[in-house]
Amino acid sequence: MSTPAGFDELIHPATRLSVVALLAATQWADFAFVRDSLSLSDSALSKQLHTLEEAGYLELQKEGGGRKRRTRVRLTDRGRTAFEGHVAALRAIVEGAGAPVNSEAPAGRRHRSGAGR
């Protein structure tokens, strides 16, 4: 099976997919809101945000200083487009998985994930 167009390996890991999905529903989100919504540590979220920012999928905005420092994050247009393409690719995979199984093959002899080919 070939990978559908739009499938994004960078977004696909569960944590990054969760971050991008959360941000897709808003314009800007506070770091603390994202962290708490996804039950992540500061360091785990920072790592994921850095990876997505390097790819141009996120924009980070830091405000204030010292203990009052506030970090906000948003999807860029590129990130939003990548997310929408990835969701479409996942839908294509799921819809393809619902295709009928070859009923002519004897039970136990149906091909599963490339076995028996």
Side-chain angles (χ1 to χ4, degrees), residues 6-115:
F7 188 89
D8 192 312
E9 295 284 347
L10 186 76
I11 292 176
H12 191 66
T15 301
R16 285 197 289 263
L17 182 58
S18 296
V19 168
V20 174
L22 182 65
L23 295 175
T26 187
Q27 288 294 319
W28 286 94
D30 286 334
F31 181 94
F33 172 78
V34 177
R35 178 197 62 211
D36 296 346
S37 294
L38 301 178
S39 300
L40 295 171
S41 66
D42 286 356
S43 62
L45 178 56
S46 291
K47 180 180 176 184
Q48 301 308 323
L49 294 180
H50 179 72
T51 298
L52 291 163
E53 182 183 31
E54 280 189 332
Y57 289 1
L58 296 181
E59 178 183 348
L60 293 171
Q61 184 180 70
K62 298 182 187 253
E63 301 170 342
R67 299 189 54 70
K68 298 243 183 210
R69 187 168 190 140
R70 178 177 168 196
T71 301
R72 297 182 341 139
V73 60
R74 75 171 185 95
L75 281 180
T76 60
D77 289 342
R78 179 178 181 180
R80 194 168 299 278
T81 299
F83 174 67
E84 290 168 357
H86 189 68
V87 169
L90 291 175
R91 285 190 178 121
I93 291 169
V94 170
E95 289 168 4
V101 176
N102 181 356
S103 61
E104 296 175 15
R109 302 263 322 184
R110 293 185 179 112
H111 295 292
R112 282 178 240 140
S113 65

